[in-house]
């Protein structure tokens, strides 16, 4: 039970980070993208459905996939690895 509560808490935190990153992505200083990537990595690690949906989204949107691939190359292991696992 503790594991599922902890997983849920981490997922809620990741969704909050995702929202925060999306809001910051429209600011002149590009700090939103790294926050969004961290949030997506956390969600991918804690929820297989998110990984599948992101993989499907990347498959159907080649422009987004191309951009994520560029970012994957520059991100360190713990953050980039979950994103690399969603490569279509």
């Amino acid at each position: 039970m503790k594991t599922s509560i902890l997983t849920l808490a981490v997922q809620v935190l990741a969704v909050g980070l995702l929202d925060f990153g999306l809001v910051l992505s429209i600011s002149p200083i590009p700090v939103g993208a790294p926050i969004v990537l961290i949030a997506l990595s956390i969600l991918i690690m804690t929820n297989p459905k998110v990984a599948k949906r992101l993989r499907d989204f990347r498959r159907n949107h080649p422009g987004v996939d191309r951009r994520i691939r560029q970012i994957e190359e520059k991100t360190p292991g713990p953050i980039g690895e979950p994103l690399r696992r969603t490569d279509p």
Side-chain angles (χ1 to χ4, degrees):
M1 180 87 124
K2 287 184 180 181
T3 304
S4 63
I5 291 172
L6 179 61
T7 301
L8 180 62
V10 169
Q11 289 176 354
V12 168
L13 175 69
V15 170
L17 276 174
L18 184 65
D19 291 343
F20 186 63
L22 290 174
V23 168
L24 288 179
S25 68
I26 60 173
S27 72
I29 302 171
V31 293
I35 295 172
V36 168
L37 290 177
I38 291 168
L40 280 175
S41 293
I42 293 169
L43 286 171
I44 290 166
M45 289 186 288
T46 60
N47 191 335
K49 288 181 182 180
V50 173
K52 182 183 179 335
R53 286 188 180 184
L54 182 58
R55 187 178 306 110
D56 293 343
F57 186 82
R58 289 177 67 173
R59 186 176 296 122
N60 294 328
H61 297 86
V64 173
D65 181 50
R66 197 172 28 250
R67 183 67 180 136
I68 291 176
R69 284 177 194 257
Q70 292 172 347
I71 294 168
E72 284 174 358
E73 296 171 2
K74 299 174 186 173
T75 55
I79 297 170
E81 182 58 33
L83 292 172
R84 284 187 275 282
R85 288 194 323 235
T86 65
D87 195 0

